[in-house]
Amino acid sequence: MTNADVLVVGGGAAGLMAAIAAARAGARVLLLERNEKLGKKIYITGKGRCNVTNAAEREDFFRNIVRNPRFLYAAFARLDNRALMSRIEEWGTPLKIERGERVFPVSDKASDITRAFERELRRLGVEVRLNARVSSLAVEDGRCAGVRLESGEELRAGAVVLATGGLSYPSTGSTGDGHRFAREAGLAVTECRPSLVPIDTVETWPAALSGLTLKNVRLTAALNGKTVFSEQGEMLLTHFGVSGPLVLSLSAYLPDDPRGASLLIDLKPALDEKTLDERLIREFQAEPRARLSTILCRLAPRSLAAELIRVGSLPGDVCASEIRAAQRREIVRLLKNVPLTVKGLRGFNEAVITRGGVSVKEINPSTMAARRVSGLYLAGELIDIDACTGGFNLQIAFSTGNLAGESAAKAALGE
């Protein structure tokens, strides 16, 4: 006797959408969540505001998917970013588009996104069980027939959607259980590492400026002489190194062992070296008696200017009129190339998402069905697909969850 047509394991972004999609397709749906409430990770995304998706055009959107973008084609076609936005607004939560095409609720409250999903779950009659911890999948003769709970209870279903998340922010329930379930079912799981994560640097001087935000700078990273990342935006100096949007996106492009990668911060990306040099000359001529330290404060935040003088061994107390041409060129070079060295990446506790997961080779991208286990569907961060910051990863979760839910319902109902 089945407990539901479709059983969804995980009440995060992917699981919520999977449950709704399956119910919309006419299935009886049971949603299991190990936490005391749904969408626990959604509450902390976008610094509590929930960057629900990105409104970029399709080509730009896929350019921001770092690993396995082609895997998403079918799921994105079924529920793209515009369709997701329309759906959430239909559920009573108005949205807005901010810089970088990032999409947020007008209220700036992540809880409004979760409540919108909860209202739709209730409207569709989805049964939700909280504090329900799954211990294993019930796989029999190559078919997933349900799950077993830690309490010993076994739940049966026509199809199961596994949407348990990755390993990032384990306090929200992302403990890697889904990867274990997948392995036990015979699916290959690639090595998991933190991604969209702050970076430890070899240099310790950022600690003295911890909390300083650098806006409109260009961050470039190179490894073994090859540039792997170069983008303009915002970053943050911390007690361990660097963080902020630019740094998080950079981390997605670094290899498994990023030690020794060189970082260069361009504090004046709008000016080439010649133009910046000409500006310095004008500054020096206008105030020949002003100290170099004073003039540098006009080109960089005061605390950073002082650190640049130390790092670059510049004569901060010397008057502008005494600065030689070679020293001036060195100042220009430093403003355009503040150097740092990668020591390593921070851990899963600080990672926004997980790199790696169930291999995309194990999943039919047209249905999200496991190729080797019938009745099993996978969605969200559990899968080896990830993107930059800006709402892209939540869209991946919603799109794959939607397709997995639809496909599971059709299979369970014999359609």
Side-chain angles (χ1 to χ4, degrees):
M1 182 175 177
T2 61
N3 298 88
D5 297 318
V6 175
L7 199 159
V8 179
V9 183
L16 289 171
M17 187 60 83
I20 287 171
R24 281 166 59 117
R28 292 180 302 120
V29 181
L30 172 57
L31 173 60
L32 303 176
E33 168 54 45
R34 62 175 286 152
N35 290 310
E36 74 286 355
K37 64 181 179 180
L38 296 171
K40 200 165 184 180
K41 189 173 179 181
I42 292 176
Y43 281 100
I44 63 174
T45 61
K47 297 180 180 178
R49 298 171 61 215
C50 188
N51 183 187
V52 69
T53 186
N54 191 288
E57 295 299 323
R58 184 182 185 279
E59 187 175 326
D60 287 336
F61 188 97
F62 277 89
R63 194 176 292 124
N64 280 276
I65 300 178
V66 180
R67 266 164 286 279
N68 300 315
R70 295 180 63 184
F71 178 81
L72 189 67
Y73 286 173
F76 192 78
R78 288 295 297 164
L79 183 72
D80 65 14
N81 45 2
R82 300 291 173 176
L84 173 66
M85 291 167 65
S86 296
R87 193 174 288 189
I88 291 174
E89 291 194 317
E90 287 170 5
W91 297 342
T93 300
L95 303 173
K96 61 181 176 180
I97 302 175
E98 296 187 357
R99 180 178 55 84
E101 298 297 296
R102 289 168 163 81
V103 180
F104 295 89
V106 170
S107 65
D108 285 330
K109 294 180 180 177
S111 56
D112 284 351
I113 298 296
T114 307
R115 290 193 187 101
F117 277 86
E118 289 174 333
R119 287 193 297 271
E120 187 64 5
L121 290 172
R122 287 193 295 270
R123 187 186 73 80
L124 292 167
V126 173
E127 181 184 351
V128 177
R129 288 179 60 173
L130 302 175
N131 298 304
R133 300 199 169 195
V134 173
S135 61
S136 64
L137 300 177
V139 179
E140 304 163 358
D141 299 322
R143 179 181 178 277
C144 186
V147 302
R148 299 181 187 89
L149 302 184
E150 289 183 359
S151 64
E153 182 181 5
E154 185 166 318
L155 301 173
R156 312 287 287 186
V160 173
V161 177
L162 195 58
T164 53
L167 290 164
S168 59
Y169 292 121
S171 61
T172 64
S174 299
T175 56
D177 286 348
H179 297 136
R180 175 172 61 81
F181 301 155
R183 286 192 189 94
E184 290 172 351
L187 306 185
V189 179
T190 65
E191 185 173 0
C192 294
R193 295 183 180 275
S195 190
L196 302 188
V197 65
I199 292 174
D200 284 310
T201 60
V202 172
E203 295 81 3
T204 58
W205 64 259
L209 308 180
S210 183
L212 176 63
T213 297
L214 303 179
K215 297 183 178 180
N216 297 318
V217 299
R218 175 168 288 276
L219 178 63
T220 300
L223 193 62
N224 299 321
K226 181 181 179 181
T227 298
V228 296
F229 179 89
S230 185
E231 286 188 13
Q232 191 168 327
E234 183 178 306
M235 61 183 292
L236 176 71
L237 301 180
T238 72
H239 65 282
F240 53 78
V242 288
S243 187
L246 273 180
V247 174
L248 299 189
S249 286
L250 160 62
S251 71
Y253 291 91
L254 291 174
D256 291 344
D257 184 1
R259 288 175 297 179
S262 63
L263 308 183
L264 294 175
I265 306 169
D266 184 349
L267 298 174
K268 294 294 177 184
L271 305 177
D272 59 24
E273 290 196 5
K274 181 175 182 295
T275 305
L276 183 54
D277 189 38
E278 290 170 349
R279 177 175 171 180
L280 269 180
I281 291 172
R282 290 196 301 272
E283 294 273 3
F284 290 172
Q285 290 175 341
E287 294 186 71
R289 300 182 65 181
R291 292 182 177 181
L292 174 61
S293 57
T294 300
I295 293 176
L296 276 183
C297 288
R298 299 170 191 165
L299 298 167
R302 181 176 296 275
S303 57
L304 178 57
E307 199 61 38
L308 290 178
I309 288 172
R310 189 189 67 79
V311 171
S313 299
L314 300 174
D317 291 333
V318 171
C319 293
S321 60
E322 299 176 37
I323 299 295
R324 298 188 299 274
Q327 290 175 313
R328 193 184 67 243
R329 287 193 291 272
E330 177 62 19
I331 294 166
V332 169
R333 188 196 65 78
L334 190 57
L335 287 169
K336 297 286 290 180
N337 299 278
V338 181
L340 286 169
T341 310
V342 174
K343 183 178 180 181
L345 303 180
R346 304 291 282 180
F348 279 113
N349 286 336
E350 298 175 61
V352 176
I353 59 162
T354 303
R355 174 195 299 188
V358 178
S359 171
V360 295
K361 295 177 181 178
E362 297 282 3
I363 305 167
N364 182 340
S366 298
T367 60
M368 294 293 129
R371 295 187 186 277
R372 292 194 275 180
V373 182
S374 65
L376 178 63
Y377 298 79
L378 302 100
E381 194 180 340
L382 181 71
I383 303 170
D384 183 14
I385 176 173
D386 62 273
C388 297
T389 58
F392 302 100
N393 289 288
L394 268 181
Q395 179 69 48
I396 291 171
F398 290 132
S399 292
T400 56
N402 176 71
L403 182 54
E406 287 181 348
S407 303
K410 289 178 182 178
L413 297 173
E415 296 180 4

